[in-house]
Amino acid sequence: MKAALFDYTRPADLQQGLQLLAEGAGDTKPMGGSQSLGPMLNLRLARPRAVVDVSRLPGMREVTVEAGALRIGGSVTHAEIEDGVFPELRGTLLQTVAAGIAYRAVRNRGTVAGSLAHADPAADWVLAMTALAARLEIVSASGKRLLPMERFMLGAYTTALEAGELIAAVHIPRLGADARWGYTKFCRKPGEFAEASCCAVFDADSGFARIVIGALDGAPRALPGLAAAFAASGALPSRDEVQAAIAAAAPGKDAVDRKLIAATLRRCLEEVLGHEKESA
Amino acid sequence: MNAVVIEVNRRSLRKDVPARMHLGDFVREEGRQTGTHLGCEHGVCGACTVLVEGRPVRSCITFTSACDRQSVTTVEGYDGDPVMALLRPAFSRHHALQCGFCTPGMLATSRDIVLRLPDADEARVRLELAGNLCRCTGYMGIVNAILDVLEQCRGEGVPAVSALRAALPRPDGGPAPQRKPFRTFTATDSGTLAAAAEAPREEAAAPVSGTRGGTNIQGSFTVPYPPGTVWAFMTDLPAVAGCLPGAELSEHAEDRVKGRIAIKFGPMSASFAGAARLERDDARRSAVLKGAGQDSISKSRANGDVSYRMVALDDGGTRVEVDLLYSLQGPLAQFSRSGLVKDFVARMIQDFGRNVALRLDPERAADAPLPSAHINAFGLAMSVIWSRIKRLFGRDG
């Protein structure tokens, strides 16, 4: 299928882009690498009157360090993070996550902000940014706000973004030198959307502990009790503890899904402890 | 229309293209390079993979306008490329193609593997090929052809390939830093149960289950009015439609209605036109609304039975239990894993329940506007009218 008619503009700078989004009265969509929006447009499921291409905007293509946090421009691509183009991101959880998103041809164009704004429950960045307690820098013609990731996603494909708003960057607190993390997902086929996923981050220096499960019906869910216990003991939780935590966080899942989530979570924590990876 | 200048296989093309034209159509129709094959046209099959600025991308979900001032290489443009000079004979030797439909995309991806991953083993090659579907070969020949070329290029085996590899943006960071062993600590921040920024839902946490007739979703809402009052309201179809965000009736006769319902599901919007019939059981205060409709633009079809019944509560209020059995066909079904629809329907039921309570409130005027829903219905009509106006003035795209 071919996309329905729409207008395309590539603004010269952010100000012009925000002006276009503001004038678009909610019927204009920002477009990054078009790897999420493109399929929707071609299938005519998304029918905006206009798109504003933000993929080349200056200020959205850099990674900087601000006040102890990493600031990743919204139009940075998955492949750039995977390839270690930005020294600050080399060897981090972000590089691991980026390398596992979809396929290389998609990673070459897809952007961090585009993936977050699309808010597919199974998306990698949605999960990883929740586990890292990232804050989104959301801009519009009338100003700027910082929104914590856990307040951003309201449900499947549904976010707190208002008409005319754009994710300009993602701010991620820097982890200490002893930080450990794990990232695992279960996909029927590599590169497909995950059926279960888990991201865990433990930073002894700051007391930060997160175990978050993704690929649920809506936003990812944190398992705070399990995370606190694991931080204190450094021991894998029992099967019953894991099942209870999953049942509380994701009550709508059936036994098969819960089993998948539990296995994914266990492998994720094994990764945190530095165990050898099982081949999936 | 947007003016673009794009270099296709070293030939500069200056064209006016509609914004909706994807790069695959551009190279085929404007560039007359028909070697690029279009398969799924929504980024799943990899057949249309071409190089943009030397990197593989899916041309079907890359818009032409976004490639302005960039260079594109298609399967016709590899003359003189040292990697392709090795891959082509290797593909022949290893029977890596049968019908040839996926081959242009396979070659683009294979070239990327050879350049970017000099040390890839079979498992890695297969992983990297996961985004390119082949319906003939079973991949065996393709994998062997790539491993063969990787072997030929080992070390400085092929200087021209080594030179291309050296030109890639390769971080000189060396291996990832050795991570220290896990250190136990007392967590001061272990996250909250990432609750969505809305009131907790009272939905029954019934798992979605697939049945012969489609997918089943259950939910409920409560209103502070007695069952008789709520039942009278819930069997008045125009009143019910008035509480359903995005619904409009065009015809109503007794227990039959025709109309449309506009839904907005994140970036997706659809407007289903259809008909529904109510089967009611007044003694039990339960009813089934059977409906079917089609979204004319995406050609998605939906069928659904909404069963609901009144349950009297001790406090004099009513719980309305809703049971939805639905099936979806067409493009919308591709993006609507049952769990996602459940999440969507749960929010819709809450909005609906809130509207019913407001409409039943004797303190409110009967025609007072209802608050906008979480799921704002989408003014499709406006965009259709707008595009017609533009066409009238010959600015179509």
Side-chain angles (χ1 to χ4, degrees), chain B residues 68-327:
Chain B
D68 184 30
R69 317 256 157 206
Q70 294 185 319
S71 72
V72 180
T73 309
T74 70
V75 70
E76 294 94 337
Y78 291 115
D79 286 354
D81 179 76
V83 185
M84 222 41 99
L86 298 172
L87 279 169
R88 273 192 299 258
F91 264 55
S92 298
R93 263 199 317 280
H94 292 278
H95 308 293
L97 62 144
Q98 286 178 31
C99 83
F101 193 83
C102 73
T103 309
M106 282 291 178
L107 284 168
T109 300
S110 304
R111 180 181 183 273
D112 179 61
I113 296 171
V114 171
L115 288 177
R116 212 165 39 87
L117 304 163
D119 303 317
D121 58 2
E122 180 181 341
R124 185 64 198 260
V125 169
R126 286 183 176 275
L127 185 71
E128 293 293 322
L129 283 178
N132 290 74
L133 303 182
C134 169
R135 297 181 75 176
C136 307
T137 65
Y139 305 96
M140 189 86 80
I142 302 169
V143 172
N144 289 339
I146 296 169
L147 289 170
D148 182 336
V149 173
L150 281 168
E151 193 51 48
Q152 293 175 59
C153 299
R154 198 83 52 208
E156 285 296 315
V158 185
V161 172
S162 302
L164 283 177
R165 283 173 175 171
L168 290 180
R170 198 175 295 285
D172 49 4
Q178 189 60 48
R179 295 193 295 160
K180 298 183 183 158
F182 189 83
R183 195 176 96 208
T184 56
F185 62 98
T186 305
T188 51
D189 174 4
S190 56
T192 47
L193 273 169
E198 53 185 67
R201 292 187 210 130
E202 331 162 1
E203 51 159 323
V208 174
S209 54
T211 62
R212 271 174 56 96
T215 310
N216 186 254
I217 297 176
Q218 285 150 356
S220 67
F221 62 90
T222 53
V223 280
Y225 301 101
T229 312
V230 182
W231 173 245
F233 184 89
M234 288 292 294
T235 48
D236 174 354
L237 289 178
V240 167
C243 293
L244 202 57
E248 281 171 36
L249 295 187
S250 55
E251 290 175 38
H252 169 232
E254 291 173 11
D255 283 345
R256 289 172 185 272
V257 286
K258 280 189 180 169
R260 60 174 47 245
I261 179 160
I263 57 165
K264 188 158 169 31
F265 188 19
M268 296 176 270
S269 44
S271 177
F272 286 93
R277 179 178 93 245
L278 186 72
E279 294 174 0
R280 53 198 285 183
D281 179 340
D282 287 285
R284 289 218 178 95
R285 286 185 182 150
S286 72
V288 185
L289 185 64
K290 292 175 177 284
Q294 175 161 3
D295 172 33
S296 58
I297 303 185
S298 77
K299 298 285 182 276
S300 303
R301 293 184 309 284
N303 290 289
D305 291 1
V306 189
S307 311
Y308 49 88
R309 60 192 195 96
M310 313 295 121
V311 179
L313 297 175
D314 297 340
D315 62 6
T318 306
R319 184 171 71 243
V320 180
E321 292 186 344
V322 182
D323 189 332
L324 168 71
L325 180 69
Y326 78 92
S327 68

Side-chain angles (χ1 to χ4, degrees), chain A residues 2 34 49 108 178 180, chain B residues 41 55 61 180 183 386:
Chain A
K2 311 294 178 191
S34 72
R49 205 169 56 70
N108 278 329
D178 287 0
R180 303 281 322 205
Chain B
E41 286 197 272
R55 297 159 149 260
I61 49 171
K180 298 183 183 158
R183 195 176 96 208
W386 177 245

